[in-house]
C-alpha cells in the first residue's frame, strides 16, 4: 500500500475511534495498564541506580573523604569507592614489611592520617558502637548505636535528620524510623539500654541512612553513648554486644582548594588504610591503574540476575498476552459494527488490503494513545508515590530517572500489542465479502477441526513432557538462568499443554452452543450467541484460563509445600508448653523461674527440668543417651535423657498415667520408645568419656561405656519425640550419674499471647542474656504474598474478561435485542442473556485453567521429591482458592452482569 492509502486508513480509524468513545476508551485502557506497570517498574529501577556523585555522597556525606583503618601495617588494595571492595595483602614468606607498613602499625591512627592529608584537614570520627537491647512498651528491641553531631553538614547525605530535632543535651538520642516502628516508641518517648539501666534517653528526632532505611539504630551526641556502653561490655554488662566491626573510620573535611587524587589513595593503602575520596569517585582512574581489579577474585553468580530477568520477562509477556486476548474481541466487534462502512469501501474500489488497513489502523491509533497514557501515568504514579516506594525498597532514590530510550521502547511494546490484537480482526474483515457486509448477513463457520486436533495433540504432548521431566530427567542436569533441566522441562510441557487448550477453546465453545437446544429461551439464546460469535468469546475464555492456570499452579505448589512442612514438623514440647531454657546457677535460675511466673499468669504447675550427664572427671561431663537403632533427636536438641518429677511428666511429655507416675516416684527410668528396650526388658545407657586421671593401681575407663538399666516402658510415640526417657534426679547417684539444670516447663490451658511472651523474654533477659523462653505453638504456616497476589490477579482477570466480553456481546447484538423486544420478548431476557454469557465465559475459562494449573504444580512437586532420601510428594489442593475462582467468581460475574445490564433497549429504525 502507498503512503496516501495509509493516511486515509488512519483518518477513517481515528474517526471510528472518536465515534465509539466507550469501546475506544476500553481498548486504550487495556493497552495503558501493562504499559503503566512496566513504565513504573523501569522508572523505579533506573532511579535506584546511583550516579558516582550520588553513590559517594551516601558514603562520605557532606565531607570530602572517608578514611577507614582496614588493616594497619599491611598493604591494602581497594576499589575507587572502598565500600565496593577492599582487602589486605599479606606478606609473602621471607618478605620484610615496608617502611610505610611499619609506620602504619606503630603510629597513632589520627596522627598518621593527619600526616597523609593536606595541612588543615579536619577529622570527624565515624565509628560504630556496640549493639544493645533498648527497652520498649512490649519488651526489648535490639538496636545498633553510633554517635554523630547531626547539626554538622559533614553528615548530610550519609546520615540525615528527617523529623524532629537533633540531640542537643545530655541523655538525648535520635532514632531511625525502623527502630520506632519496631519498638512502638515515637519522638518524645524515653528508653534505656541494657548495661546502662540507670540512664534514661529521650528520643528527640528521626534519622535515616539513605542506603539502609531499615537500619535499627540509635544516634547520640559524640562521646555520650559508645564509651559508656563499651565500658559496660568490658565489665560484663548485661546485654551489650560487640559491634560487627571494630574498624575505626573518620570523615575528612579538606581545606579550601585542596583535593585528593588516586596517588593519595594509594599512599593510604600502603599504610593499611582505605580512602574513599569524592574527587576520585566522580573521576575514577582507568581500571588498569587499580591493583584491586587485577588481584581480586571477582566472581558474580549470573543465576540471580538471570532468574530476575526470566521472571520479569514472563510476567510482562503474560500481561501483554492477556491484553492481546482481551483487546482482540473489542477490535472484532468494532470491525463488525463498521462492516457496512468497510463494505462500501470495498464497493468503491478498495482492495482487501485497504479494508484490513482500516481495522489495523484502529489498533495503531488506539495503541499509540494507550501507550502514551500508560507512560505518562506510570511516571506520574512513581513521582507521587516515591516516598512509599523508597520505604518499601529500603533505599532512597538518587534522583527520579526518566530514561527516554526505555520509555520509547515500552511505548513501542504497547503499540505492538495493540497491532497484534487488531491483526486477526483485520484479516477477518478483509476476507468478508462485500455482499455480506452490505446486507449484514455474515455466514457462521464452524471451528476448524485441524486446529482442534492440533490442540488435543499439544495437550497430550505437554502432559507427557511434564511428567517425563518430573520423573526421567536427571536432577543434576543443568538448565538456563539457575533453573535445572528438570524444572524447565516441566514448565515447558505445561506451556505446551496450555497452548493446546487455547487451540481447543473454539471447539469447546461451539459444543456448548450445540447443547443449548433443550434449555429455556434465555439460556438458549445466550449460549448460541456465544457460540456464533466465537471470535469474541474464545479469546476471553483463553484470557481467563491463562490467568487462572498460573494462580492455581502457584496455589497448589505452595499449599502442597505447606502440607509437607506440616507433615515434617517436629514439635519440641506438647502444644502450648512454655519452656524456660537456661543454664544459670541455682539462685539465678530461681529468679528467672519466678520472673516468668510473674509475667505470665495461669501457667499451672511448674516442672523443673534437668539433663542427665556423666561426670568422668573434675569439670568433665558428657550427655547421657540411650542406645537405639535410630537417634530421635540431634545433639543440639537437649535433653536426651531428662530428669524431673511428675510435673515434668505432665508438662513435657503430656503423659497422665497413674502407673507411670508410680514407677517414676519409685525411682524407675521411664522410656517412651519401644526401640530403646531390648528383649530382656532393659535399656542401654551410653556413657562417653574416659579421660579421668588414673591413679596407681587403677584401670582406665573406656571412652565409651554401655550400661544396661531396668526401665519401665510407656509406649507413647508422641512423648518419645521430646526426650528418650525421664527419671527422678534422686535416683541417679546410684547409677553414678548426675544432673545439670536446663530450665523449667509449664503446660497452661492456653498458650500465652506473643506480647506477653515478649515481656517475659525481656524480663528474663535482664537476669540472664543467654536464657531463652519458648512457647510451642505448633506448626505456623507462612503467609504467601505471591499466592495471594496471583489469586487477586486471577480474580480481576476473571471478572474483567467476562465483563468485557459480555459488554462487547451486548453492543454487538443490539440489533438482535431490538428484534426480540419488537416481537414481544420480556425485558428480563436481556438481563438473562448478559448474566449467562458472562457466567459461561468465566466458568469455562476457570475450569480449563484449574485443570491446566495442576500439571506444572504436580510435575514440580514430583520433581522435587525425586532426590535420594526424599520423602514422597504430598499433593494438596487449595480448595478455598479453587472454590473461589472456579465457582464463586463465575457466579458473581454473572450476577454483576445481570445487575448492570439494562432490561429495555431503545428501538431504532432499521434500514432495509
Amino acid at each position: 500500500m502507498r503512503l496516501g492509502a495509509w493516511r486515509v486508513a488512519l483518518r477513517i480509524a481515528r474517526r471510528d475511534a472518536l465515534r465509539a468513545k466507550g469501546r475506544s476508551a476500553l481498548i486504550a485502557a487495556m493497552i495503558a495498564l501493562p504499559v503503566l506497570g512496566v513504565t513504573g517498574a523501569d522508572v523505579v529501577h533506573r532511579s535506584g541506580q546511583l550516579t558516582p556523585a550520588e553513590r559517594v555522597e551516601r558514603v562520605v556525606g557532606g565531607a570530602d573523604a572517608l578514611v577507614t583503618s582496614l588493616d594497619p601495617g599491611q598493604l591494602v588494595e581497594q576499589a575507587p569507592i572502598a565500600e565496593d571492595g577492599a582487602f589486605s595483602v599479606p606478606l609473602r614468606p621471607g618478605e620484610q614489611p615496608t617502611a610505610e607498613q611499619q609506620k602504619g602499625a606503630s603510629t597513632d591512627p589520627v596522627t598518621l592520617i593527619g600526616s597523609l592529608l593536606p595541612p588543615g584537614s579536619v577529622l570527624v570520627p565515624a565509628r560504630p558502637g556496640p549493639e544493645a537491647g533498648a527497652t520498649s512498651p512490649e519488651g526489648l528491641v535490639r538496636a545498633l548505636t553510633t554517635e554523630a553531631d547531626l547539626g554538622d553538614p559533614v553528615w548530610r547525605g550519609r546520615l540525615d535528620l528527617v523529623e524532629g530535632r537533633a540531640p542537643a543535651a545530655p541523655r538525648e538520642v535520635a532514632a531511625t524510623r525502623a527502630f520506632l516502628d519496631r519498638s512502638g516508641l515515637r519522638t518524645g518517648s524515653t528508653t534505656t539500654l541494657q548495661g546502662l539501666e540507670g540512664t534514661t534517653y529521650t528520643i528527640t528526632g528521626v534519622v535515616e541512612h539513605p542506603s539502609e532505611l531499615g537500619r535499627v539504630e540509635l544516634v547520640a551526641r559524640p562521646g555520650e553513648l559508645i564509651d559508656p556502653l563499651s565500658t559496660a561490655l568490658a565489665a560484663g554488662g548485661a546485654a551489650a554486644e560487640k559491634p560487627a566491626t571494630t574498624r575505626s573510620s573518620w570523615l575528612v573535611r579538606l581545606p579550601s582548594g585542596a583535593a585528593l587524587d588516586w596517588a593519595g589513595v594509594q599512599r593510604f593503602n600502603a599504610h593499611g588504610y582505605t580512602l574513599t575520596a569524592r574527587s576520585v569517585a566522580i573521576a575514577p582512574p582507568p581500571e588498569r591503574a587499580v591493583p584491586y581489579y587485577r588481584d581480586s577474585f571477582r566472581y558474580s553468580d549470573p543465576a540471580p540476575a538471570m532468574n530476575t530477568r526470566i521472571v520479569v520477562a514472563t510476567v510482562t509477556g503474560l500481561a501483554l498476552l492477556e491484553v492481546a486476548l482481551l483487546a482482540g474481541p473489542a477490535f472484532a466487534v468494532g470491525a463488525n459494527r463498521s462492516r457496512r462502512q468497510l463494505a462500501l469501501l470495498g464497493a468503491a474500489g478498495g482492495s482487501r488490503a485497504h479494508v484490513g488497513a482500516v481495522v489495523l489502523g484502529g489498533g495503531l491509533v488506539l495503541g499509540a494513545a494507550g501507550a502514551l497514557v500508560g507512560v505518562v501515568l506510570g511516571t506520574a504514579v512513581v513521582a507521587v508515590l516515591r516516598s512509599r516506594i523508597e520505604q518499601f525498597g529500603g533505599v532512597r532514590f538518587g534522583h527520579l530517572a526518566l530514561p527516554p530510550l526505555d520509555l520509547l521502547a515500552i511505548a513501542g511494546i504497547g503499540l505492538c500489542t495493540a497491532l497484534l490484537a487488531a491483526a486477526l480482526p483485520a484479516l477477518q474483515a478483509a476476507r468478508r465479502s462485500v455482499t455480506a457486509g452490505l446486507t449484514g448477513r455474515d455466514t457462521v463457520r464452524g471451528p476448524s477441526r485441524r486446529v482442534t486436533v492440533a490442540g488435543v495433540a499439544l495437550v497430550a504432548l505437554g502432559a507427557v513432557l511434564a511428567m517425563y521431566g518430573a520423573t526421567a530427567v536427571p536432577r543434576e542436569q543443568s538448565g538456563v538462568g539457575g533453573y535445572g533441566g528438570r524444572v524447565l522441562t516441566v514448565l515447558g510441557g505445561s506451556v505446551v499443554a496450555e497452548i493446546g487448550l487455547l487451540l481447543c477453546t473454539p471447539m469447546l465453545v461451539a459444543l456448548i452452543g450445540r447443547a443449548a437446544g433443550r434449555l429455556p429461551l434465555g439460556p438458549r439464546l445466550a449460549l448460541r450467541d456465544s457460540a456464533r460469535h466465537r471470535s469474541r468469546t474464545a479469546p476471553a475464555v483463553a484470557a481467563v484460563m491463562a490467568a487462572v492456570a498460573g494462580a492455581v499452579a502457584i496455589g497448589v505448589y505452595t499449599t502442597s509445600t505447606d502440607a509437607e512442612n506440616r507433615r515434617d514438623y517436629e514439635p519440641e514440647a506438647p502444644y502450648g508448653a512454655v519452656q524456660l531454657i537456661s543454664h544459670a546457677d541455682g539462685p539465678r535460675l530461681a529468679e528467672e523461674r519466678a520472673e516468668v511466673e510473674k509475667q505470665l499468669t495461669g501457667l499451672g504447675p511448674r516442672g523443673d527440668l534437668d539433663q542427665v550427664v556423666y561426670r568422668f572427671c573434675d569439670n568433665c561431663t558428657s550427655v547421657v543417651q540411650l542406645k537405639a537403632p535410630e537417634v530421635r533427636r540431634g545433639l543440639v536438641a537437649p535433653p536426651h535423657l531428662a530428669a524431673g518429677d511428675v510435673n515434668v511428666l505432665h508438662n513435657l511429655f503430656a503423659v497422665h498415667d497413674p502407673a507411670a507416675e508410680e514407677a517414676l516416684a519409685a525411682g524407675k527410668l521411664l522410656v517412651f520408645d519401644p526401640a530403646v528396650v531390648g528383649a530382656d526388658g532393659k535399656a542401654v545407657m551410653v556413657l562417653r568419656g574416659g579421660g579421668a586421671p588414673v591413679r596407681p593401681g587403677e584401670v582406665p575407663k573406656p571412652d565409651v561405656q554401655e550400661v544396661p538399666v531396668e526401665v519401665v516402658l510407656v509406649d507413647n510415640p508422641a512423648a518419645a519425640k521430646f526426650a528418650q526417657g525421664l527419671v527422678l534426679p534422686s535416683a541417679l547417684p546410684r547409677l553414678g550419674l548426675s544432673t545439670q539444670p536446663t530450665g523449667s516447663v509449664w503446660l497452661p490451658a492456653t498458650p500465652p499471647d506473643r506480647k506477653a511472651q515478649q515481656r517475659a523474654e525481656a524480663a528474663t533477659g535482664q537476669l540472664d542474656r543467654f536464657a531463652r523462653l519458648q512457647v510451642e505453638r505448633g506448626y505456623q504456616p507462612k503467609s504467601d504474598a505471591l499466592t495471594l497476589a496471583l489469586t487477586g490477579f486471577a480474580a480481576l482477570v476473571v471478572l474483567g474478561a467476562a465483563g468485557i466480553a459480555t459488554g462487547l456481546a451486548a453492543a454487538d447484538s443490539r440489533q438482535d435485542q431490538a428484534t426480540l423486544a419488537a416481537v414481544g420478548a420480556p425485558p428480563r431476557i436481556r438481563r438473562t442473556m448478559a448474566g449467562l454469557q458472562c457466567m459461561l465465559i468465566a466458568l469455562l475459562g476457570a475450569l480449563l485453567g484449574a485443570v491446566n494449573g495442576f500439571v506444572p504444580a504436580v510435575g514440580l512437586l514430583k520433581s522435587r521429591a525425586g532426590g535420594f532420601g526424599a520423602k514422597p510428594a504430598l499433593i494438596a489442593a487449595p480448595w478455598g482458592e479453587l472454590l473461589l475462582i472456579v465457582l464463586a467468581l463465575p457466579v458473581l460475574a454473572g450476577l454483576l452482569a445481570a445487575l448492570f445490564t439494562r432490561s429495555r433497549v431503545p428501538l431504532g429504525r432499521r434500514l432495509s
Side-chain angles (χ1 to χ4, degrees):
M1 288 179 57
R2 297 180 179 179
L3 182 60
W6 275 109
R7 290 178 179 175
V8 174
L10 291 176
R11 189 181 304 120
I12 296 174
R14 179 176 59 84
R15 290 176 178 176
D16 287 343
L18 293 176
R19 187 179 300 114
K21 295 182 176 62
R23 186 177 68 249
S24 301
L26 177 65
I27 297 174
M30 286 190 290
I31 300 297
L33 282 177
V35 172
L36 185 152
V38 177
T39 299
D42 182 75
V43 172
V44 169
H45 174 68
R46 294 295 188 182
S47 300
Q49 294 178 331
L50 304 180
T51 64
E54 294 167 345
R55 175 76 176 88
V56 74
E57 185 180 24
R58 302 285 173 91
V59 177
V60 306
D64 297 297
L66 175 71
V67 180
T68 302
S69 59
L70 180 64
D71 193 358
Q74 295 287 338
L75 176 65
V76 168
E77 295 181 0
Q78 68 164 83
I81 298 179
E83 283 64 23
D84 293 339
F87 59 86
S88 59
V89 181
L91 293 175
R92 298 176 181 176
E95 184 179 4
Q96 297 296 322
T98 63
E100 291 85 356
Q101 293 172 352
Q102 294 177 357
K103 184 177 180 180
S106 60
T107 307
D108 175 69
V110 175
T111 303
L112 177 62
I113 294 172
S115 66
L116 297 176
L117 291 172
S121 300
V122 178
L123 297 181
V124 178
R127 58 172 178 155
E131 182 181 356
T135 58
S136 70
E138 302 298 337
L140 290 177
V141 175
R142 305 300 300 178
L144 301 172
T145 57
T146 190
E147 294 176 347
D149 181 5
L150 298 176
D152 191 343
V154 75
W155 293 96
R156 195 166 301 153
R158 175 183 172 93
L159 181 63
D160 296 329
L161 180 68
V162 296
E163 186 179 325
R165 63 175 179 84
R171 301 184 178 183
E172 289 185 347
V173 295
T176 60
R177 176 61 61 187
F179 174 84
L180 297 180
D181 293 341
R182 186 170 298 182
S183 64
L185 301 175
R186 62 179 184 274
T187 304
S189 301
T190 59
T191 184
T192 59
L193 298 177
Q194 285 188 291
L196 299 175
E197 286 83 358
T199 304
T200 301
Y201 293 92
T202 302
I203 301 174
T204 63
V206 181
V207 295
E208 70 177 23
H209 294 265
S211 291
E212 193 178 357
L213 299 181
R215 189 181 182 93
V216 181
E217 189 175 56
L218 293 173
V219 182
R221 297 195 306 171
E224 294 185 358
L225 184 58
I226 295 180
D227 290 338
L229 267 181
S230 300
T231 302
L233 176 63
E241 296 183 1
K242 294 182 179 180
T245 175
T246 57
R247 298 167 184 164
S248 299
S249 299
W250 294 265
L251 293 171
V252 179
R253 186 187 293 116
L254 298 176
S256 178
L260 293 170
D261 55 9
W262 181 243
V265 173
Q266 291 183 309
R267 284 196 299 271
F268 275 88
N269 295 160
H271 293 81
Y273 290 77
T274 61
L275 174 67
T276 299
R278 185 186 301 273
S279 56
V280 175
I282 294 177
E287 188 168 321
R288 63 179 180 274
V290 182
Y292 171 82
Y293 293 143
R294 180 192 65 232
D295 299 335
S296 64
F297 177 73
R298 295 177 294 157
Y299 172 73
S300 178
D301 187 4
M306 183 63 71
N307 293 348
T308 302
R309 295 189 186 100
I310 291 175
V311 171
V312 171
T314 302
V315 172
T316 304
L318 288 176
L320 295 177
L321 175 63
E322 297 286 345
V323 170
L325 290 174
L326 294 176
F331 284 112
V333 170
N336 191 36
R337 296 290 300 275
S338 304
R339 61 182 180 270
R340 182 176 178 84
Q341 173 182 308
L342 296 176
L344 289 174
L345 177 63
S351 64
R352 291 187 174 183
H354 294 142
V355 174
V358 173
V359 181
L360 202 61
L364 183 63
V365 170
L366 296 178
L372 178 62
V373 172
V375 169
V376 173
L377 287 181
T379 305
V381 167
V382 174
V384 172
L385 301 180
R386 174 175 177 175
S387 178
R388 293 181 179 272
I389 296 172
E390 291 172 339
Q391 289 289 345
F392 182 79
V395 180
R396 293 290 181 199
F397 293 164
H399 61 287
L400 187 64
L402 302 176
L405 293 180
D406 289 12
L407 299 182
L408 285 175
I410 294 170
I413 292 175
L415 179 60
C416 292
T417 303
L419 292 175
L420 179 64
L424 183 59
L427 180 62
Q428 293 174 343
R431 289 179 176 179
R432 182 183 292 122
S433 67
V434 175
T435 304
L438 291 175
T439 58
R441 299 172 182 173
D442 288 340
T443 57
V444 179
R445 298 180 180 179
S448 174
R449 294 185 177 180
R450 294 182 179 179
V451 173
T452 304
V453 171
V456 173
L458 288 178
V459 170
L461 176 62
V464 172
L465 187 62
M467 291 300 102
Y468 172 78
T471 56
V473 175
R475 176 179 292 272
E476 62 276 4
Q477 182 172 331
S478 61
V480 179
Y483 295 102
R486 174 176 289 190
V487 173
L488 292 179
T489 304
V490 172
L491 295 179
S494 303
V495 172
V496 171
E498 185 166 348
I499 294 175
L501 285 177
L502 288 175
L503 297 179
C504 294
T505 302
M507 178 62 75
L508 293 175
V509 174
L511 293 177
I512 291 175
R514 294 176 183 176
R518 298 182 180 181
L519 296 177
L521 177 61
R524 184 168 67 250
L525 292 176
L527 295 182
R528 287 181 174 177
D529 183 74
S530 299
R532 185 181 302 112
H533 299 90
R534 291 184 300 277
S535 59
R536 66 166 185 258
T537 304
V541 172
V544 173
M545 182 191 69
V548 171
V552 170
I554 297 297
V556 172
Y557 186 84
T558 55
T559 303
S560 301
T561 302
D562 186 74
E564 291 178 354
N565 294 336
R566 185 184 298 275
R567 176 194 63 188
D568 300 335
Y569 175 76
E570 293 188 1
E572 297 184 2
Y575 176 76
V578 178
Q579 286 183 284
L580 172 64
I581 302 174
S582 174
H583 299 278
D585 54 12
R588 177 65 63 84
L589 182 56
E591 293 179 9
E592 295 173 12
R593 290 166 174 166
E595 192 64 36
V596 172
E597 292 179 331
K598 176 183 176 181
Q599 296 292 334
L600 302 177
T601 59
L603 291 178
R606 185 185 76 217
D608 294 336
L609 187 62
D610 296 333
Q611 182 172 255
V612 180
V613 296
Y614 170 54
R615 193 176 302 277
F616 53 90
C617 70
D618 294 337
N619 300 322
C620 303
T621 60
S622 63
V623 178
V624 177
Q625 290 180 280
L626 296 179
K627 187 176 181 179
E630 179 183 358
V631 178
R632 294 290 182 179
R633 297 171 66 89
L635 293 178
V636 297
H640 306 289
L641 195 57
D645 57 10
V646 68
N647 288 332
V648 174
L649 180 65
H650 295 164
N651 297 346
L652 181 61
F653 299 97
V655 172
H656 297 269
D657 185 352
E661 296 173 7
E662 292 178 3
L664 180 65
K668 299 293 185 179
L669 173 60
L670 303 183
V671 295
F672 308 98
D673 187 358
V676 302
V677 182
D680 57 356
K682 294 183 179 181
V684 178
M685 288 194 303
V686 180
L687 310 181
R688 292 181 173 85
V694 179
R695 298 177 182 178
E698 287 185 349
V699 178
K701 297 179 180 180
D703 289 338
V704 179
Q705 303 178 59
E706 294 186 354
V707 180
V709 293
E710 296 286 345
V711 296
V712 174
L713 175 62
V714 181
D715 194 355
N716 191 322
K721 297 179 180 179
F722 308 137
Q724 290 180 315
L726 176 66
V727 64
L728 280 178
S730 59
L732 293 174
R734 62 182 175 82
L735 298 175
L737 304 175
S738 57
T739 63
Q740 284 183 348
T742 58
S744 298
V745 59
W746 297 263
L747 188 60
T750 57
D753 60 73
R754 297 186 184 275
K755 290 186 177 181
Q757 180 183 353
Q758 187 179 4
R759 288 193 297 266
E761 288 175 345
T764 55
Q766 293 179 352
L767 298 173
D768 179 10
R769 60 175 171 148
F770 298 106
R772 292 187 296 124
L773 188 68
Q774 296 180 173
V775 179
E776 179 56 54
R777 304 183 186 277
Y779 175 72
Q780 300 293 315
K782 297 180 180 179
S783 59
D784 190 357
L786 178 60
T787 302
L788 182 62
L790 284 177
T791 303
F793 173 73
L796 181 64
V797 172
V798 169
L799 296 176
I804 290 171
T806 303
L808 294 174
D812 195 25
S813 61
R814 186 173 302 173
Q815 189 174 8
D816 296 337
Q817 297 289 343
T819 302
L820 287 173
V823 299
R828 67 175 182 275
I829 289 296
R830 179 174 169 82
R831 288 182 181 270
T832 303
M833 288 184 60
L836 290 177
Q837 281 182 329
C838 189
M839 186 182 302
L840 169 68
I841 293 170
L843 182 61
L844 182 58
L847 288 174
L848 293 176
V851 173
N852 190 53
F854 268 89
V855 175
V858 173
L860 291 176
L861 290 170
K862 294 286 187 181
S863 170
R864 186 178 63 182
F868 175 76
K871 294 184 178 180
L874 184 61
I875 310 299
W879 295 113
E881 177 187 346
L882 290 177
L883 290 176
L884 173 66
I885 294 179
V886 177
L887 293 180
L889 284 177
V891 173
L892 177 62
L895 293 177
L896 291 177
L899 179 64
F900 289 101
T901 300
R902 292 183 299 176
S903 299
R904 299 184 180 276
V905 60
L907 298 179
R909 184 171 57 183
R910 178 179 297 181
L911 297 176
S912 58

